[in-house]
Amino acid sequence: MNYKRPKADVVIIGLGWSGSTMAEELTRAGLNVVAIERGAWRETSTSFPTTRDPDELSGSVRKEILQAPVTETYTVRNKVGQTALPLRKYHNLTLGNNVGGAGTHWAGASWRWLPFDHQPHTHVMQRYGAGQLVDGLILQDWGVTYDDLEPFYDRFEKIAGTSGTAGVINGQRQPGGNPFEGSRSGPFPTPALERSRANVLFTQAATRLGYNPFPVPSAMIGAPYTNALGLNLAPCTYCGYCQLYGCGNWSKSSPNICILPVLMQRTNFTLVTECEVLRINTTPDKKMATGVTFIDSDGNTGEQPADIVITATFTLDNTRLMLLSGISTPYDVASGQGVVGRAFTFQTLSWAFMFFENEYMNPFMNTGALATQIDDFNGDNFDHTGLGFIGGAGIQSLSNQGLPIGMAGLLPKGSPQWGKGWKQAFQRGYQNYAQIQGQGTSFAHREQFLDLDPTYKDRYGRPLLRITFDYNENDRRSGRFIRDRCVEIAREMGATEVGGDSFADRPYSGYTPWDSSHVQGGVTMGEDPRTSVQNRYQQNWDIPNLFVIGASSFPNNAGYNPTVVVGATTLWTAKAIIDQYIRNPGPLVRL
Amino acid sequence: MKRRDVMKGGLVLLATTTLASIYKPAYSRTYVGGTGMWKAAPPPPLSVVDPTRLVYLTPQEARLVGAVFDILIPADELGMGATEAGCVTFLDHQLAGPYGSAAKDYRLGPVVEGLPQQGPQGIMTPAEMYRTGLAELEHAAHAEFNKSFLDLSEEQKITFLKGVEGGTISFDTLKSDQFFVLMLQNVREGYLADPMYGGNRDMVGWKLVGFPGAIYDYRDWIVSKRGKKIDVHPVSLLGRA
Ligand SMILES: Cc1cc2nc3c(=O)[nH]c(=O)nc-3n(C[C@H](O)[C@H](O)[C@H](O)COP(=O)(O)OP(=O)(O)OC[C@H]3O[C@@H](n4cnc5c(N)ncnc54)[C@H](O)[C@@H]3O)c2cc1C
Ligand code: SF4
């Protein structure tokens, strides 16, 4: 049976951080909003009760909270000419599959990006010129600057209750914070958490080396806090079941605790769950979006007409929905023309893995983002002259894992992986292991893109999204440079055994252990319709009532995690819709 | 209407007046704001695995995989071995459930061998891999020693398993090294997962490394025990239920 729902002012596809942030703004402004989410309803006190501790097997091992490949997966190849093959098993992209999206199980590092990250083209051209770019690199400004976004960063942090130590407030350096950060209009809502043993050793070593360590801002609430929507959040208990788990303690900012309890009280909000949107509908001339078509759990299709369509399904599905709906021009790698699927980026990770003697790291006392970082080699915070690359990484001592199955293979070099020798090595390694992550920038490249797979289909017979990605020369150079910095600090920390790794030295794989889940771009915002899908308000250049929000809008990835930027750009777009678009529907940027 | 029919129909024939409110699909839900606080489905109740009977493995398979597991995690002064710790019971129940049937994997074709970085492309389930792999393992032991794996000396077992791990002892119907990786992963899971899943008896795996288990609040220790040994009896989910 097929059916049609009553028309709404706005339909939002996906109810993670970006969808729920947008829904809260638009319903508060009086609009009638319907959200359609593929996953099931989750409510913190029932779904993640504190009377019931999580366990590692069902959580980070069997990954029960994640979007399963059987529901939807992606095909991957490193370059044109190879055959892309599906990610058949749980992979590194660890997407969300419930109301709250990945925001329910994320790790919670809560970054504002650097002013550089929003205007990389302008900065690089001014400081170095085009000769600094490796062949094929795509570099473009976002059309929105850090200063434009500052009030929205501030607002999002106050929704999330972000904990941290400010580094720069109104242009003034603050002790203990990140001296390189863009100027803030105020301190973090809640104070930074206590540090782990590894974090302390890192801080001492980095200080001796002349760097500027600071606590990574996080979603782990630092003190009791009432957020901008009047919801009460509680301090984090360092329980160590954080990334890949829901937090039942109201301590990890998520849509589920920071937004949904308020949103669900609004009579002008309707949520439809366990329905997958199949496509965005448009008028025949593709000048306006008319709504969406979805399929419910019984295989019936429904139509949700709306005056405004907002897509908030994260990078990969945002791009896939655009391609499946035939909206805007798909990127063509041969000619370099077209925009949907273009400027796809990942994250360039480098590591130092280390072991100490006779330590008690007590790794089980952790949070998803218990980390201390230096930004001395991030963005354009250092002189790249002669280095042959742009960008860098946030280099951090990361204490986010202590669960034993996940650590059973982390052993000092040469240790047996089984037998009596394994037991001895694991016993020693568990308390003596520490790691430094270089979470690196990733810039787009002509040969990295997303399109529809010609062969593999989803459960409804529709093409999967195909990822064509490998690290480019800029990634390889920056990755090695950062790896060497990680190793230097690890040695200075007094580790007896240090190993370094730069993932960009090997072909990209969706299964590399310890890799990132941060894919970005594909439906980028920008200043020029020839190189972006949407304008600076994340409004489609061709269809003024279509907004695709989230990390798909970012034409480059920073040496940070993306979510606070997703939140800030969502709030920025919401304001443009409420203050400008509703009053005068049409393009918000005229060329 | 079946999903396939929907696809064939091209999703175009929409009945225009039917409202979702009079049509109730099995799982899909509509929540209208302001009408109350909605409780989600609670997580499934805790249940303990019954170690007294096998649910997937045959008795012969259970003995064989137990013998392999006891080489991978042997009994010694650091604690009991894998079988005594319940790892075979653990595995048996895992194979009988959604993990064993690869219920979450993408299993549509075409099945093509790819580059190593493209990850596993085979669509054999873990349950099928054990059924086939254990038979192959026993077959290979006979070919090598003219004996069952069960009757080999400890040293012979170790040498033989090194061959399986390295792929020098190969199987016909699946890759021996991949089967080894699966067994190693599962035996570690059994030894280190919460005891309610059938393994980690007396929390032996957690005691090995000093993992305190399901402790929920470390605020008192994050500073006071920083860099110091924490002596605490671990807690399992069952202990707290
Ligand atoms: C394990 C992990 C750790 C992370 N750690 C960090 C971190 O430390 N810091 C940080 O900043 N970021 C982190 N991230 C990234 C962060 O989770 C995302 O940036 C953020 O959640 C994105 O929010 P979103 O709303 O744009 O997308 P999502 O949260 O992915 O929400 C999209 C929603 O859309 C739904 N959906 C998808 N397709 C459809 C469809 N066709 N129809 C209907 N619904 C659909 C999905 O079910 C999902 O609920 C992490 C991510 C993961 C996976
Ligand atoms: S570590 Fe803190 S924020 Fe994370 S799940 Fe535990 S209590 Fe919640």
Side-chain angles (χ1 to χ4, degrees), chain A residues 68-89:
Chain A
V70 68
T71 305
E72 184 186 340
T73 194
Y74 310 91
T75 68
V76 181
R77 59 178 180 173
N78 290 130
K79 53 179 181 240
V80 172
Q82 288 177 353
T83 305
L85 295 178
L87 297 167
R88 293 188 176 277
K89 303 195 171 290

Side-chain angles (χ1 to χ4, degrees), chain A residues 7-325:
Chain A
K7 187 171 179 188
D9 293 333
V10 182
V11 61
I12 297 179
I13 317 168
L15 205 62
W17 268 125
S18 52
S20 40
T21 303
M22 180 60 84
E24 195 282 317
E25 289 284 321
L26 299 186
T27 49
R28 189 152 36 83
L31 295 174
N32 178 3
V33 175
V34 175
I36 302 178
E37 163 60 48
R38 176 160 62 195
W41 170 243
R42 288 282 180 278
E43 187 272 320
T44 296
S45 51
T46 325
S47 301
F48 314 112
T50 46
T51 48
R52 159 84 182 263
D53 293 281
D55 79 273
E56 184 184 12
L57 188 75
S58 62
S60 27
V61 180
R62 298 285 180 259
K63 302 183 173 20
E64 283 173 8
I65 201 169
L66 300 185
Q67 175 186 310
V70 68
T71 305
E72 184 186 340
T73 194
Y74 310 91
T75 68
V76 181
R77 59 178 180 173
N78 290 130
K79 53 179 181 240
V80 172
Q82 288 177 353
T83 305
L85 295 178
L87 297 167
R88 293 188 176 277
K89 303 195 171 290
Y90 277 113
H91 45 78
N92 288 337
L93 300 170
T94 53
L95 296 150
N97 190 41
N98 53 262
V99 175
T104 309
H105 70 259
W106 67 318
S110 299
W111 296 102
R112 297 175 177 211
W113 287 7
L114 297 168
F116 164 82
D117 299 316
H118 302 289
Q119 289 175 295
H121 184 262
T122 298
H123 280 262
V124 168
M125 290 309 137
Q126 275 173 6
R127 190 163 178 187
Y128 310 104
Q132 190 74 13
L133 303 183
V134 306
D135 185 44
L137 213 67
I138 293 172
L139 199 62
Q140 60 197 52
D141 294 346
W142 296 26
V144 59
T145 67
Y146 176 87
D147 290 342
D148 293 332
L149 289 176
E150 203 288 329
F152 304 93
Y153 273 130
D154 183 64
R155 168 86 184 167
F156 189 74
E157 288 175 349
K158 286 173 177 156
I159 292 171
T162 312
S163 63
T165 304
V168 183
I169 298 179
N170 296 327
Q172 301 296 308
R173 287 271 308 261
Q174 307 289 317
N178 178 9
F180 299 100
E181 72 182 350
S183 182
R184 308 169 52 87
S185 52
F188 283 95
T190 65
L193 273 79
E194 299 292 351
R195 303 291 92 195
S196 70
R197 171 74 177 148
N199 293 167
V200 170
L201 293 173
F202 175 90
T203 302
Q204 292 164 351
T207 307
R208 284 196 297 273
L209 291 169
Y211 304 139
N212 297 279
F214 61 92
V216 166
S218 89
M220 287 74 225
I221 309 301
Y225 182 68
T226 303
N227 82 351
L229 304 178
L231 293 165
N232 293 323
L233 314 180
C236 166
T237 64
Y238 308 86
C239 80
Y241 293 88
C242 201
Q243 170 163 318
L244 297 180
Y245 299 83
C247 176
N249 201 34
W250 297 68
S251 301
K252 172 162 75 171
S253 15
S254 67
N256 310 69
I257 65 166
C258 298
I259 299 173
L260 292 167
V262 166
L263 184 58
M264 296 306 278
Q265 301 305 322
R266 303 233 168 102
T267 51
N268 53 344
F269 180 68
T270 302
L271 167 61
V272 179
T273 64
E274 296 185 70
C275 286
E276 175 167 340
V277 170
L278 299 173
R279 71 182 133 95
I280 303 157
N281 300 319
T282 58
T283 52
D285 61 4
K286 300 226 156 126
K287 291 234 156 71
M288 291 298 276
T290 54
V292 302
T293 297
F294 60 88
I295 187 163
D296 69 28
S297 59
D298 284 2
N300 303 288
T301 52
E303 191 189 333
Q304 175 63 60
D307 286 332
I308 298 175
V309 174
I310 296 175
T311 301
T313 60
F314 197 56
T315 300
L316 300 174
D317 287 285
N318 277 348
T319 308
R320 182 168 180 245
L321 272 175
M322 293 289 282
L323 293 166
L324 288 174
S325 310

Side-chain angles (χ1 to χ4, degrees), chain A residues 526-529 535-537 539-542 544 580-581 583-591:
Chain A
E527 295 168 328
D528 182 346
N535 64 27
R536 64 195 300 253
Y537 299 107
Q539 179 189 42
N540 189 278
W541 285 112
D542 308 321
Q580 300 176 57
Y581 183 84
R583 289 191 194 146
N584 187 11
L588 299 171
V589 174
R590 290 186 192 274
L591 293 167

Side-chain angles (χ1 to χ4, degrees), chain A residues 307-379:
Chain A
D307 286 332
I308 298 175
V309 174
I310 296 175
T311 301
T313 60
F314 197 56
T315 300
L316 300 174
D317 287 285
N318 277 348
T319 308
R320 182 168 180 245
L321 272 175
M322 293 289 282
L323 293 166
L324 288 174
S325 310
I327 295 174
S328 303
T329 316
Y331 178 64
D332 171 40
V333 63
S335 66
Q337 307 291 306
V339 282
V340 182
R342 178 183 176 274
F344 170 72
T345 63
F346 184 50
Q347 190 114 51
T348 313
L349 288 199
S350 312
W351 291 90
F353 301 108
M354 68 197 103
F355 287 94
F356 292 82
E357 295 288 345
N358 306 321
E359 267 293 347
Y360 287 100
M361 291 292 171
N362 293 327
F364 41 82
M365 303 196 282
N366 75 52
T367 83
L370 189 56
T372 297
Q373 174 153 320
I374 59 163
D375 259 357
D376 300 70
F377 298 104
N378 206 350

Side-chain angles (χ1 to χ4, degrees), chain A residues 48-56 237-239 241 248-249, chain B residues 45-48 194-196 203 206 211-221 232-241:
Chain A
F48 314 112
T50 46
T51 48
R52 159 84 182 263
D53 293 281
D55 79 273
E56 184 184 12
T237 64
Y238 308 86
C239 80
Y241 293 88
N249 201 34
Chain B
L46 293 179
S47 64
V48 195
D194 193 278
M196 74 169 181
M203 296 171 281
W206 293 353
F211 176 67
I215 288 187
Y216 146 84
D217 189 346
Y218 290 116
R219 277 174 297 177
D220 287 346
W221 290 349
V232 60
H233 193 75
V235 192
S236 93
L237 280 187
L238 296 173
R240 298 190 131 235

